[in-house]
Amino acid sequence: MKKKLLCFPLLLILALLSACGDEPERLQVIAMDTVMTFQTYGKAAEDVLVSASAEVRRLEDLLSRTDPESAVSRVNSAGGAPVEAGAELSALLETAAEYSRMTGGAFDITLAPVSSAWGFTTDSYRVPSQAELDALLAHAGMEHVHVSGDTVALDSGTQIDLGAIAKGYAADRVLDLYRQAGLERGWAALGGNVAALGCRPDGEPWEIGIQDPAQPDDGNAYAGLLYLEDACAVTSGSYQRYFEQDGRRYHHILDPATGAPADSGLLSVTVVADAEEGSGAMCDALSTALFVMGEEQALDFWRTGGLDFQLVLVTEDGRVVTTAGLEGRFAPAEGSGYTYETVS
Ligand code: AMP
Ligand code: MG
C-alpha cells in the first residue's frame, strides 16, 4: 500500500497553524515511503517547514530505489559501468561502508537483490529458496561497491539499497535547516526516525513514545517513553514491514549471513544519540545492524564499539532492555506487560 504513495507528489495533510511564539507550526508529508511530520516554532517556522519538505523530496529523488530516475537507480542499472553519482551520494556510500565495516557486515546496503527476491520492493511477496538466496549473496558485500570521487561503480550483479540509512540522513539534513534558520526548537519524525532540536517551549524535554512492537497497529501502545533534548532516536523493528505465509512471518530486516529475515530474538531496536552532524544517519544504520546482531552482540557493540549512543531493545521474550546512559531519559510504559532491565 505504502509503495504506491511514492509516485505521488508530497501530500500536505495538515494545515499550518499560527506563526508566532509557543504555537507550533506543523507539516505532515508522505515521502521516502513513509509519513513524515515536521514541527517548528517561531517567526521562521512556516518557511522552514516548506524547505524541510522540499529537502526530503530532493533526497527521495536522489536515493529512491524504486524511482528509475534516481541517482541510486542509475547506479543500480549501469551493469557494472561507472556512473557520475554526485558528491552527496558518494559521501553517503562512504558513510554506509564505514557502518558496514564497524558492524562486521551486519549493516549491508548491497542486500538490494535479496530484498527484491523476497518481494519487499514490489509487495509481491514470496519465500525464495536458500539456493536462490545464496546465488544473490555471492554479489553482496561492500567490496563490490567502488567509490572514486563522485563516481560510483558496482560489480556486475550487485545493487544497492539505502533504505536503512536514508531517513536518518534526511533527518540530519532537516535538523540542519532548522538550525540554519535560527530555530531554537522543533522536531522531525520521519517514520521511525525522530530528530529533536532544543526542548519544548515549557522547558521540558520532548516526549517520544517507542512503539510496542506487539501492537503495531495501535499508535498509542508503547513499550517505553523517551525524554529527549537535542537528540535523535531511531527504531528498527520486525513489525514495521512483513508478510505471512504458511503461518510464518517474514520481515524486512535481512541477515547478510543467510539472506533471510534476521532471527535474533529481538522485536525492535531503538538507538538514541545526541543530535550532532551525522547522528541521525548513525542511529538509522545502527538500529538496523544491531537488530541483525541480536541482544548480546548489540550490547557488546554498545560497550566496546567506540560510538556514542544508547539503546532500547525489545525482546521476543517480553523484556525491554535499556542501556545505562538513558537513566532519567527513559520511562517504562505503564501496563505494557514488559519487564524492564537496565544494563551497564
Ligand atoms: P530500517 O527500517 O532502517 O531498519 O531499514 C530496513 C530496510 O533496509 C529494509 O527494508 C531493506 O530495504 C534494507 N535492509 C534490510 N536488511 C538490511 C541490512 N542488514 N543492512 C542494511 N539494509 C538492510
Ligand atoms: Mg535503519
Side-chain angles (χ1 to χ4, degrees):
M1 187 279 284
K2 285 183 189 160
K3 284 280 162 203
K4 293 193 187 90
L5 294 170
L6 260 184
C7 13
F8 296 166
L10 285 177
L11 195 64
L12 183 65
I13 297 175
L14 287 187
L16 301 177
L17 301 175
S18 74
C20 60
D22 291 351
E23 283 300 316
E25 298 274 356
R26 188 184 281 195
L27 183 65
Q28 202 164 63
V29 301
I30 292 169
M32 294 183 164
D33 207 10
T34 198
V35 177
M36 301 186 175
T37 309
F38 307 115
Q39 182 158 315
T40 56
Y41 298 77
K43 282 201 180 80
E46 199 172 324
D47 291 344
V48 179
L49 292 179
V50 173
S51 309
S53 60
E55 179 65 356
V56 295
R57 164 59 78 197
R58 185 186 70 79
L59 290 171
E60 179 175 56
D61 289 349
L62 185 75
L63 303 174
S64 165
R65 210 190 135 199
T66 47
D67 171 3
E69 307 284 311
S70 76
V72 162
S73 293
R74 285 194 290 112
V75 168
N76 280 340
S77 59
V83 170
E84 192 65 45
E88 190 170 19
L89 177 54
S90 295
L92 190 54
L93 291 178
E94 301 277 19
T95 303
E98 189 64 15
Y99 287 119
S100 171
R101 191 188 58 73
M102 283 191 275
T103 61
F107 182 75
D108 188 348
I109 60 165
T110 65
L111 294 174
V114 181
S115 177
S116 295
W118 288 95
F120 283 113
T121 27
T122 53
D123 291 351
S124 302
Y125 299 119
R126 57 189 274 276
V127 180
S129 69
Q130 193 58 49
E132 182 181 351
L133 294 175
D134 289 343
L136 295 171
L137 285 174
H139 302 283
M142 289 309 287
E143 66 274 21
H144 299 289
V145 180
H146 311 284
V147 181
S148 169
D150 295 355
T151 303
V152 179
L154 305 179
D155 288 341
S156 174
T158 301
Q159 295 202 345
I160 54 169
D161 173 357
L162 290 164
I165 194 170
K167 289 194 274 286
Y169 176 76
D172 285 332
R173 299 283 69 79
V174 169
L175 227 54
D176 273 357
L177 287 174
Y178 287 9
R179 291 196 190 95
Q180 279 162 22
L183 302 192
E184 280 175 30
R185 69 184 86 260
W187 52 261
L190 289 66
N193 292 241
V194 176
L197 178 69
C199 61
R200 295 192 329 201
D202 63 2
E204 295 294 315
W206 304 105
E207 183 181 66
I208 295 160
I210 297 175
Q211 179 70 43
D212 177 0
Q215 302 181 70
D217 298 325
D218 182 347
N220 295 314
Y222 300 122
L225 298 166
L226 288 167
Y227 296 93
L228 300 179
E229 260 181 73
D230 282 314
C232 302
V234 177
T235 300
S236 285
S238 49
Y239 65 92
Q240 290 170 338
R241 181 171 292 224
Y242 63 86
F243 68 95
E244 279 167 357
Q245 188 172 306
D246 300 329
R248 279 200 60 183
R249 181 179 284 202
Y250 300 92
H251 65 81
H252 68 140
I253 303 172
L254 303 172
D255 183 345
T258 62
D263 185 13
S264 64
L266 296 176
L267 293 178
S268 78
V269 173
T270 300
V271 180
V272 181
D274 291 344
E276 287 161 5
E277 177 52 39
S279 54
M282 174 184 79
C283 289
D284 198 356
L286 292 186
S287 66
T288 310
L290 302 193
F291 186 98
V292 171
M293 288 184 188
E295 178 179 356
E296 202 176 323
Q297 266 193 59
L299 292 174
D300 282 349
F301 185 85
W302 171 70
R303 289 188 185 102
T304 61
L307 293 171
D308 195 6
F309 67 89
Q310 303 299 323
L311 289 173
V312 181
L313 309 177
V314 184
T315 70
E316 280 176 1
D317 60 5
R319 292 172 298 121
V320 176
V321 180
T322 54
T323 54
L326 286 176
E327 202 191 335
R329 296 193 290 163
F330 174 85
E334 265 176 44
S336 71
Y338 289 101
T339 56
Y340 291 84
E341 303 167 13
T342 303
V343 296
S344 50

